[in-house]
């Protein structure tokens, strides 16, 4: 990004046009503590201004609102416009995807962990579960980047910011890489073994041949390489390093609050937050942005992201009514409906005739079709209703709090500060004198259950904050300043052209390509 472009873009921010750009959306989403950095932009050296603007463009307003459109667009643009990086990334991810299949075949396991855990990459997992050492992924990326740390981070960042594939098209292989491709792909025997275990895991809902075709299709040369499966060791905690992870004590607290009976194995690990934070922060450190400026930006972005996700749950209009009805009373009414006979669980007219006319409509609103599901026991229904009541009552508490108006109803620069403040003050472990009082008509037991829901939101903040800080620290230690004469694009082309049998690619531009502003 040239000095002239930076000047024009900064002028555009100050002018505040009606149609907000991605950077403006990102700026508007940042809490007040991060706005100070934005106000200081014009006083910073050009290199640091560039780094901050690149970071804001990478994460964008979409990413901080809980979606990934901006970072996804950035990576797609990178792949489409930098063939050397695209080709190197294809081989990097081929090595990981192939290894996942080969390991599953070797250990006689399906690709997915669905038979062992409720989620793909549980919070309880580490790289050791995959027979790997902490930092294996960083070492793999350095191997493919020939030691270039900025290029290594670029490779990881293409898929590391989310465990759901964000690429519309595959990372293309170069035509001269077909022989190397054939050496890396799993054998027919390995694919057959894994496909058989996949069919067994799904209890033969689909035949083995279907899985064989699906796995083979993921290793077609013409298709290119895609991001790893959610169950890949790529997404395992500590893949970047032992320190690039949350603490054992926080992991225990998360499990205790969010899954007290099922434990950490029932919760997703979300290690992509660590890698995504490292990828974003690297854009700041490689431009020499000092910690006094980069840290508030990263912390502000994560608070905006998590606040937006939580606010989407809290700002919904609660279903008004029956605040003074206990869960036990609801439980009795559910039992009454279930005991009305087999017709009562399949015929709404019978449910209406046999049940309490005051509570029945409210129960139906909360449970919907679950109420008529013969496979759900009365206790299971009561548990679902208990959880939905608690979430609804948490919404009631939020709307009664001063933080609801301070957040401008979940929009504006105070969002991250206000929502974080609300959950910190209103969890079930929060000091009593700081809490929003329970509405007079809300039963104490239900208010307490609502505070338990809010406590899970507070843990979400602590969890995301710890992961983003771990990624930030990793980037601080491993991302050197960018040499304009040796950009990641240049390094990737140098690697591609190092084989004398390969035709040389045209030299890349000095500056790293960025999406059009």
């Amino acid at each position: 990004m040239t000095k002239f472009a930076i000047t024009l873009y900064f002028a555009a921010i100050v002018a505040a046009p009606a149609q907000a750009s991605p950077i403006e959306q990102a700026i508007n989403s940042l809490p007040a503590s991060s706005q100070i950095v934005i106000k200081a932009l014009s006083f910073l050296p050009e290199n640091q201004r560039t780094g901050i603007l690149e970071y804001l463009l990478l994460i964008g307003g979409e990413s901080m609102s809980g979606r990934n459109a901006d970072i996804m667009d950035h990576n797609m643009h990178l792949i489409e416009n930098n063939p050397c990086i695209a080709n190197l990334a294809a081989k990097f991810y081929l090595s990981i995807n192939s290894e996942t299949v080969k390991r599953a075949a070797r250990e006689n396991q399906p690709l997915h962990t669905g038979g062992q855990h409720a989620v793909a990459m549980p919070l309880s997992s580490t790289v050791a579960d995959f027979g790997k050492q902490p930092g294996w992924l960083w070492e793999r990326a350095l191997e493919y980047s020939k030691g270039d740390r900025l290029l290594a981070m670029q490779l990881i960042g293409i898929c590391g910011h989310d465990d759901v594939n964000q690429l519309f098209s595959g990372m293309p292989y170069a035509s001269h890489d077909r022989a190397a491709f054939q050496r890396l792909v799993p054998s027919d025997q390995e694919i057959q073994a894994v496909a058989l275990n996949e069919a067994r895991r799904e209890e033969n809902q689909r035949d083995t041949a279907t899985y064989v075709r699906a796995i083979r299709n993921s290793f077609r040369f013409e298709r290119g390489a895609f991001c790893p499966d959610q169950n890949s060791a790529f997404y395992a905690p500590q893949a970047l390093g032992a320190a690039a992870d949350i603490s054992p004590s926080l992991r225990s607290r998360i499990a205790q609050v969010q899954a007290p009976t099922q434990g950490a194995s029932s919760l997703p690990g979300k290690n992509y937050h660590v890698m995504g934070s490292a990828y974003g922060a690297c854009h700041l450190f490689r431009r020499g942005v000092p910690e006094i400026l980069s840290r508030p930006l990263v912390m502000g972005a994560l608070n905006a992201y998590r606040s937006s996700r939580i606010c989407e749950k809290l700002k919904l209009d609660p279903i008004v009514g029956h605040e003074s009805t206990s869960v036990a009373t609801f439980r009795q009414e559910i039992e009454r409906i279930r005991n009305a006979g087999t017709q009562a669980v399949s015929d709404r007219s019978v449910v209406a005739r046999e049940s309490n006319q005051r509570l029945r409509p409210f129960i139906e609103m909360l449970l919907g079709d679950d109420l008529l599901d013969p496979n759900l026991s009365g206790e299971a229904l009561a548990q679902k209703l208990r959880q939905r009541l608690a979430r609804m009552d948490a919404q009631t508490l939020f709307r009664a709090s001063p933080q609801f108006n301070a957040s401008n109803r979940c929009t504006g620069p105070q969002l991250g500060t206000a929502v974080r403040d609300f959950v910190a003050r209103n969890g079930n472990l929060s000091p009593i004198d700081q809490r929003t009082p329970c509405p007079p008509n809300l039963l104490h037991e239900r208010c307490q259950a609502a505070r338990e829901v809010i406590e899970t939101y507070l843990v979400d903040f602590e969890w995301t904050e710890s992961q983003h800080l771990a990624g930030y620290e990793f980037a601080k230690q491993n991302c050197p300043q960018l040499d304009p004469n040796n950009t990641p694009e240049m390094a990737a082309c140098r690697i591609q052209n190092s084989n004398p049998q390969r035709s040389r690619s045209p030299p890349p531009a000095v500056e790293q390509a960025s999406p059009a502003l």
Side-chain angles (χ1 to χ4, degrees):
M1 185 181 293
T2 65
K3 183 175 182 180
F4 179 68
I6 293 172
T7 303
L8 284 181
Y9 205 81
F10 184 65
I13 293 175
V14 175
Q19 185 68 31
S21 68
I23 288 185
E24 289 160 348
Q25 292 177 38
I27 290 173
N28 292 335
S29 299
L30 290 170
S33 59
S34 302
Q35 296 285 346
I36 297 172
V37 179
I38 306 303
K39 293 177 181 177
L41 265 179
S42 60
F43 302 102
L44 298 177
E46 178 185 344
N47 199 42
Q48 294 181 18
R49 289 201 306 270
T50 300
I52 291 173
L53 291 176
E54 285 179 344
Y55 175 75
L56 292 172
L57 185 59
L58 175 71
I59 61 173
E62 285 286 310
S63 295
M64 289 196 291
S65 65
R67 293 173 287 273
N68 286 316
D70 294 304
I71 193 168
M72 178 181 70
D73 289 346
H74 173 92
N75 287 336
M76 285 298 299
H77 184 277
L78 181 79
I79 291 170
E80 291 168 357
N81 292 276
N82 295 277
C84 296
I85 284 186
N87 174 234
L88 187 63
K91 290 181 285 189
F92 172 67
Y93 283 106
L94 170 65
S95 75
I96 294 169
N97 295 338
S98 178
E99 190 175 276
T100 301
V101 174
K102 289 175 179 289
R103 179 179 180 274
R106 187 171 60 252
E107 298 183 359
N108 196 30
Q109 294 289 333
L111 283 178
H112 304 285
T113 57
Q116 305 165 14
H117 303 292
V119 291
M121 184 63 65
L123 180 63
S124 57
S125 63
T126 68
V127 292
D129 298 331
F130 298 85
K132 295 185 176 297
Q133 296 294 320
W136 79 270
L137 180 61
W138 182 239
E139 292 174 3
R140 177 73 60 85
L142 287 173
E143 175 189 343
Y144 273 78
S145 70
K146 305 300 182 186
D148 189 298
R149 289 179 288 169
L150 292 183
L151 178 56
M153 184 58 72
Q154 183 69 78
L155 293 176
I156 292 173
I158 289 173
C159 293
H161 67 96
D162 203 318
D163 65 346
V164 177
N165 179 60
Q166 299 283 308
L167 303 178
F168 293 132
S169 58
M171 293 167 272
Y173 302 109
S175 58
H176 50 250
D177 284 330
R178 188 176 289 273
F181 169 86
Q182 293 296 340
R183 287 195 299 270
L184 279 174
V185 296
S187 67
D188 285 344
Q189 183 179 6
E190 289 168 329
I191 291 175
Q192 287 280 356
V194 173
L196 178 60
N197 283 318
E198 284 291 301
R200 288 171 177 167
R201 182 182 71 88
E202 294 287 346
E203 297 180 350
N204 294 315
Q205 292 179 11
R206 294 186 291 179
D207 59 26
T208 304
T210 302
Y211 291 101
V212 169
R213 286 193 297 270
I215 297 172
R216 280 180 178 162
N217 188 53
S218 67
F219 290 103
R220 281 173 45 205
F221 186 83
E222 296 77 13
R223 183 176 181 265
F226 279 85
C227 292
D229 184 85
Q230 291 175 315
N231 303 276
S232 169
F234 179 85
Y235 293 110
Q238 301 182 7
L240 289 181
D245 192 14
I246 62 176
S247 68
S249 60
L250 177 57
R251 184 174 276 105
S252 297
R253 169 163 158 73
I254 293 167
Q256 181 180 8
V257 172
Q258 297 199 353
T261 58
Q262 296 176 302
S265 63
S266 67
L267 297 171
K270 302 182 183 179
N271 193 57
Y272 51 85
H273 283 310
V274 177
M275 292 192 283
S277 176
Y279 182 43
C282 196
H283 284 72
L284 297 169
F285 288 118
R286 71 180 193 172
R287 294 289 188 180
V289 179
E291 187 169 1
I292 195 172
L293 298 177
S294 59
R295 191 182 180 97
L297 271 178
V298 172
M299 295 300 292
L302 79 88
N303 268 302
Y305 164 83
R306 182 52 61 196
S307 294
S308 178
R309 296 292 291 268
I310 292 175
C311 224
E312 287 297 318
K313 301 174 183 178
L314 286 173
K315 75 177 183 180
L316 298 174
D317 291 330
I319 304 172
V320 179
H322 302 291
E323 286 85 356
S324 60
T325 304
S326 69
V327 173
T329 301
F330 281 118
R331 175 74 173 86
Q332 292 171 359
E333 182 57 27
I334 290 174
E335 279 298 316
R336 179 175 172 174
I337 295 172
R338 305 290 285 193
N339 292 335
T342 55
Q343 242 187 331
V345 295
S346 59
D347 188 334
R348 286 185 183 274
S349 64
V350 175
V351 173
R353 186 170 65 249
E354 297 291 337
S355 62
N356 185 307
Q357 297 299 309
R358 184 179 68 89
L359 293 183
R360 182 188 61 79
F362 191 70
I363 291 175
E364 282 200 338
M365 279 192 293
L366 288 175
L367 293 179
D369 290 339
D370 286 342
L371 183 62
L372 305 177
D373 187 346
N375 296 317
L376 290 174
S377 67
E379 182 55 41
L381 283 174
Q383 181 61 22
K384 282 178 176 288
L385 184 136
R386 188 180 297 114
Q387 293 169 347
R388 292 169 191 178
L389 277 176
R391 290 196 293 268
M392 183 188 73
D393 293 335
Q395 294 162 5
T396 299
L397 277 179
F398 181 55
R399 285 174 170 268
S401 73
Q403 289 87 4
F404 179 60
N405 289 329
S407 72
N408 194 26
R409 302 192 175 202
C410 297
T411 60
Q414 290 302 314
L415 168 63
T417 304
V419 176
R420 180 72 164 80
D421 188 38
F422 170 76
V423 298
R425 289 173 177 269
N426 287 280
N428 66 332
L429 300 179
S430 305
I432 295 177
D433 60 350
Q434 294 183 7
R435 297 178 178 178
T436 298
C438 296
N441 60 336
L442 182 62
L443 287 179
H444 174 76
E445 65 171 88
R446 283 180 50 181
C447 190
Q448 180 60 26
R451 295 197 190 281
E452 291 174 2
V453 170
I454 295 169
E455 188 73 24
T456 68
Y457 295 155
L458 177 59
V459 167
D460 272 336
F461 267 109
E462 296 170 356
W463 189 356
T464 307
E465 182 178 278
S466 181
Q467 288 183 313
H468 278 248
L469 282 177
Y472 174 88
E473 289 295 329
F474 183 86
K476 185 173 73 172
Q477 296 169 12
N478 291 283
C479 292
Q481 289 201 34
L482 180 69
D483 179 355
N485 296 312
N486 185 31
T487 65
E489 289 83 0
M490 292 177 175
C493 286
R494 189 168 56 251
I495 293 169
Q496 180 168 305
N497 296 331
S498 61
N499 189 327
Q501 296 179 344
R502 299 175 180 176
S503 58
R504 298 190 61 83
S505 300
V510 171
E511 285 286 342
Q512 184 172 3
S514 298
L517 299 179

